[in-house]
Amino acid sequence: MKYDVVIAGAGLFGSVLARELRDNGRRVLVVERRATVGGNIRCEERDGIPVHLYGAHIFHTSIREVWEYVNRFAAFHPFINSPVANYRGELYNLPFNMNTFHQIWGVKTPAEARAKIEEQRAGMAAEPKNLEEQAISLVGKDIYEKLIKGYTEKQWGRDCRELPAFIIRRLPLRFTYDNNYFNDPWQGIPDGGYNGLIESLLDSVEVRLGTDFMADRDYFLRNAKRVVYTGAIDEYFDYELGELEYRGLRFEHERLETDNFQGIAVMNFTDRETPYTRVIEHKHFEPQNAALIEKPVSIVTKEYPAAWKRGDDAYYPVNDAKNQALYEKYLARAASERVIFGGRLGEYKYYDMDKTVERALALSKTLTE
Ligand code: UDP
């Protein structure tokens, strides 16, 4: 056997795993279909501005080990994500907090805000069955209508009553004047974007770019004791049990001759009529870089939700009961093979970057025991 482990996919999961296995003396090969490493955290410098090519990525975690780990490979600057929601031209602070409640209802105290929510959730079932019920019982009808319904239905391409409740619980709800989008104690972005992080993870690892694992699956299986596949599990098994659903995205990047287009890194467009969900102004991800901030040029990206079909980049797993059941069937099918599935696609889970790193570290421990 030429390799101990072949890893398909040079995204964050594959890169952390490869690094750990390599540091533990394993012979590792990473194969990547794309011409670049980094998966969807890939950035590209345009006019000196690191552009998050596949959407805003802000690293945030409550797991000390993960924070210390990523800081070994890149210098992070502090970044607190505080997006603003734009609903038909009205601006609201996110996540849902006292600023939002004041802007929506004019209330000033936590007690007033709680009373408003209580009034607006009257009659809701104790156990929310879907995203709509969950949202209304957390923040009431007004905020649901203005800040959640339109955004979510665009984002997922389906009715809020057909989406799992957990998706909306990703967002904090707090009764303080705090616009921090995440609750995690450690948050930041690598200086200059994510490419440096991935490249230093992979600096002693054999990587073959432009190489499609699936096109040579049998070759790699013959030459490796273990295979870790970070792509979609249904694709690995040639869709033999059926197709899992994913949600796609489409990005439109634009170069503007202005030093400051929208005054914030992320603006969410929460009405149904605006076709995109977010506008990102990349330079604001680098507030520590004064020269970049002052530059009379800015790169702005509109993020459009998109239907997904085979062959497109998959961004979000659709974790409803039907898809979850199919995923479990594939997992059972995989149990008799030498392949392990990992990462957001491989595990069909809505992982953030920190969970992805945590899972990769855990798998590396299992594989080196
Ligand atoms: N969401 C919303 N309004 C917003 C932002 C988010 O309703 O302004 C909902 C929406 O359903 C979305 C979910 O919250 O899918 C999770 O949002 P998050 O920002 O975590 O999405 P991601 O950054 O992973 O795309």
Side-chain angles (χ1 to χ4, degrees), residues 94 147-148 151-152 156 168 170-171 181 268 278 316 350:
L94 290 173
L147 303 185
I148 298 175
Y151 184 101
T152 300
W156 294 96
I168 200 66
R170 288 171 58 84
L171 273 52
Y181 199 67
N268 289 6
R278 287 189 270 224
Y316 299 94
Y350 196 169

Side-chain angles (χ1 to χ4, degrees), residues 113-250:
R114 285 185 205 276
K116 260 301 193 195
I117 292 173
E118 207 45 58
E119 175 194 315
Q120 295 208 348
R121 66 193 291 259
M124 294 304 297
E127 272 298 309
K129 287 192 298 294
N130 54 50
L131 196 152
E132 176 173 291
E133 291 184 13
Q134 176 70 82
I136 295 174
S137 68
L138 285 172
V139 291
K141 282 209 170 64
D142 290 341
I143 292 181
Y144 171 67
E145 295 290 342
K146 288 192 165 182
L147 303 185
I148 298 175
K149 190 176 189 318
Y151 184 101
T152 300
E153 294 186 352
K154 285 192 287 192
Q155 162 75 14
W156 294 96
R158 43 169 100 178
D159 196 282
C160 286
R161 280 165 296 203
E162 286 162 25
L163 284 164
F166 84 87
I167 292 176
I168 200 66
R169 291 198 301 267
R170 288 171 58 84
L171 273 52
L173 161 65
R174 51 174 95 92
F175 293 89
T176 54
Y177 289 91
D178 178 359
N179 297 326
N180 184 344
Y181 199 67
F182 305 115
N183 281 326
D184 297 318
W186 297 290
Q187 302 183 30
I189 293 178
D191 294 346
Y194 288 85
N195 295 359
L197 169 68
I198 291 289
E199 280 152 19
S200 68
L201 280 165
L202 290 173
D203 68 6
S204 58
V205 174
E206 183 183 348
V207 180
R208 284 193 214 157
L209 295 174
T211 304
D212 186 356
F213 177 91
M214 290 304 290
D216 266 316
R217 181 175 47 190
D218 294 339
Y219 167 82
F220 293 118
L221 282 166
R222 271 199 314 278
N223 284 282
K225 290 190 198 146
R226 305 298 285 263
V227 163
V228 176
Y229 192 77
T230 72
I233 197 169
D234 54 341
E235 180 187 22
Y236 183 90
F237 289 113
D238 301 319
Y239 306 97
E240 65 183 38
L241 303 174
E243 230 181 77
L244 288 164
E245 286 177 274
Y246 301 88
R247 191 68 181 150
L249 292 174
R250 185 169 64 80

Side-chain angles (χ1 to χ4, degrees), residues 328-344:
E328 300 301 327
K329 277 212 244 164
Y330 273 115
L331 257 198
R333 164 82 179 75
S336 58
E337 313 261 333
R338 272 184 300 131
V339 56
I340 298 166
F341 292 89
R344 188 188 272 212

